[in-house]
Amino acid sequence: MAEIKRIGVLTSGGDAPGMNAAVRAVVRGALAFDVECIGIKRGWNGLINNDFIKMDSISVSHILSSGGTALYTARSEEFMTEKGRQKAAANCKLLGLDGVIAIGGDGTFRGALELSRLGIPVIGIPATIDNDIGCTHYTIGFDTACNTAIECIDKLRDTMQAHERCSIVEVMGRNAGYLALYVGIAVGATAVLVPEIEWDLQKDVIEKIRNARIVGHTHFMIVVAEGAGKAYKIGEQIRQEIGLDPRVTVLGHIQRGGTPSARDRECATRMGYHAVKALTEGRNNIIIATRSGNMVELPIEEALQMKKSLQMERYEVMEAMASYRH
């Protein structure tokens, strides 16, 4: 087993609250094992262009509570080419990196897999607010994004109640409805629309609004994952069907920002430390995942083939809470 003397860490893809906590854990974890740590800026793009900084305990002080990523993030078209990956691998060797820890989502892990095929040991840490990575029960950033969306919707509900209106809120989730479903349950939504389940406007929206009105509700909250349909179009359909004047709010990138929650900080810290420990013990080309609260290691190729299905128990709960029987 080769001795690990120097490693690199990067963040890639969409930012997620808690990424900084993971970077901090990697740096301080490396120092605990007497390993140098190089911070690679702007993801795979930075690895290609030698955009890096030497990191120590002081350089990661006070980033634990910050959203975004101190190392910045970017999407790299050049890294998608063989020439770009060869250049990145060459720079790893030039810097003397004995491994690279990549923090991000599926796209980040696919990049890590390609780098590993060029002889660079890699480890992935899952961070995405969508919580849609198949190999892990939890991804860094999901809890904070949920809390942000819930806080925004609670404030919207105050004004919707005052004006007796219908509100449609579009949350992130292009291919996955975990965020929408979790938030919808937490705010007591009238209806939740997710991309995994085909929905019918009359049955899943109009009838729920109608039944809620019959039992005495005067304001209605519809939560839509961006991949399930466009909120403005749904609002127009509601207006045409039952004459309400819905107000549409697209939360957008506000869900990515903000101070990470305790859960995201703690999970990111454990994942970061576990990734460094695995490298120093000779285990690489893996993803650090969570299963029932425990850290597990999965080969990248195997992990990338895993799919995550929507939790139907949660969907059943949401449907029951929004039945409005009378």
Side-chain angles (χ1 to χ4, degrees):
M1 183 177 70
E3 182 183 1
I4 303 296
K5 297 179 180 178
R6 185 180 297 118
I7 64 173
V9 59
L10 61 84
T11 53
S12 179
D15 61 302
M19 277 185 164
N20 277 330
V23 170
R24 173 181 177 272
V26 169
V27 173
R28 294 198 172 181
L31 294 173
F33 286 102
D34 291 323
V35 173
E36 285 186 69
C37 190
I38 301 295
I40 301 159
K41 293 185 175 181
R42 300 171 181 87
W44 299 121
N45 212 41
L47 195 56
I48 291 172
N49 295 304
N50 259 329
D51 187 4
F52 67 90
I53 182 173
K54 191 174 185 301
M55 304 190 80
D56 56 25
S57 182
I58 296 299
S59 67
V60 292
S61 293
H62 311 302
I63 70 169
L64 182 68
S65 60
S66 300
T69 163
L71 290 177
Y72 308 106
T73 183
R75 303 187 190 279
S76 176
E77 291 186 10
E78 189 176 359
F79 192 78
M80 296 178 185
T81 68
E82 180 64 25
K83 184 179 179 181
R85 292 191 292 270
Q86 290 284 357
K87 190 175 180 181
N91 282 336
C92 285
K93 293 171 183 176
L94 175 64
L95 294 172
L97 300 184
D98 299 309
V100 173
I101 295 175
I103 305 165
D106 271 342
T108 302
F109 299 155
R110 293 185 193 283
L113 176 61
E114 293 299 327
L115 193 63
S116 73
R117 289 170 174 165
L118 296 175
I120 307 300
V122 297
I123 292 186
I125 294 177
T128 167
I129 67 168
D130 291 337
N131 198 28
D132 61 349
I133 297 177
C135 67
T136 184
H137 288 174
Y138 188 78
T139 62
I140 298 166
F142 178 70
D143 187 61
T144 306
C146 285
N147 289 334
T148 298
I150 289 166
E151 182 181 358
C152 290
I153 292 172
D154 283 347
K155 290 177 179 179
L156 278 172
R157 187 184 289 280
D158 290 344
T159 188
M160 291 301 105
Q161 184 274 334
H163 291 274
E164 299 182 313
R165 283 182 176 146
C166 174
S167 181
I168 302 170
V169 180
E170 184 177 301
V171 301
M172 283 188 168
R174 189 167 57 250
N175 301 310
Y178 310 110
L179 184 64
L181 184 56
Y182 195 99
V183 168
I185 292 173
V187 300
T190 309
V192 178
L193 307 179
V194 295
E196 294 92 338
I197 297 176
E198 187 175 352
W199 54 274
D200 175 79
L201 182 72
Q202 286 294 330
K203 172 179 170 290
D204 297 306
V205 180
I206 301 301
E207 280 305 310
K208 286 182 178 179
I209 292 174
R210 183 173 288 129
N211 289 337
R213 184 66 190 92
I214 289 172
V215 299
H217 293 271
T218 58
H219 62 284
F220 318 97
M221 182 66 64
I222 315 298
V223 176
V224 184
E226 60 181 319
K230 293 302 177 185
Y232 285 101
K233 182 177 180 180
I234 294 168
E236 184 56 35
Q237 290 173 318
I238 291 173
R239 182 180 290 107
Q240 292 175 2
E241 287 286 334
I242 51 179
L244 290 179
D245 185 23
R247 292 295 188 268
V248 175
T249 303
V250 179
L251 294 184
H253 285 82
I254 194 172
Q255 296 159 93
R256 290 196 183 279
T259 300
S261 67
R263 183 179 185 185
D264 281 328
R265 298 187 203 191
E266 192 268 352
C267 184
T269 300
R270 289 172 64 203
M271 283 182 167
Y273 175 80
H274 196 108
V276 174
K277 185 178 180 182
L279 267 179
T280 61
E281 293 176 352
R283 301 188 302 280
N284 52 61
N285 304 338
I286 57 175
I287 291 176
I288 307 300
T290 65
R291 296 287 177 88
S292 302
N294 298 314
M295 298 292 149
V296 298
E297 302 169 6
L298 297 167
I300 291 182
E301 289 195 63
E302 177 185 327
L304 284 171
Q305 293 173 4
M306 294 181 179
K307 304 295 181 185
K308 182 186 283 188
S309 58
L310 193 72
Q311 293 175 308
M312 293 309 297
E313 180 269 339
R314 276 204 174 103
Y315 190 80
E316 181 183 336
V317 169
M318 183 276 296
E319 286 285 282
M321 293 300 102
S323 62
Y324 302 107
R325 296 190 182 280
H326 52 275

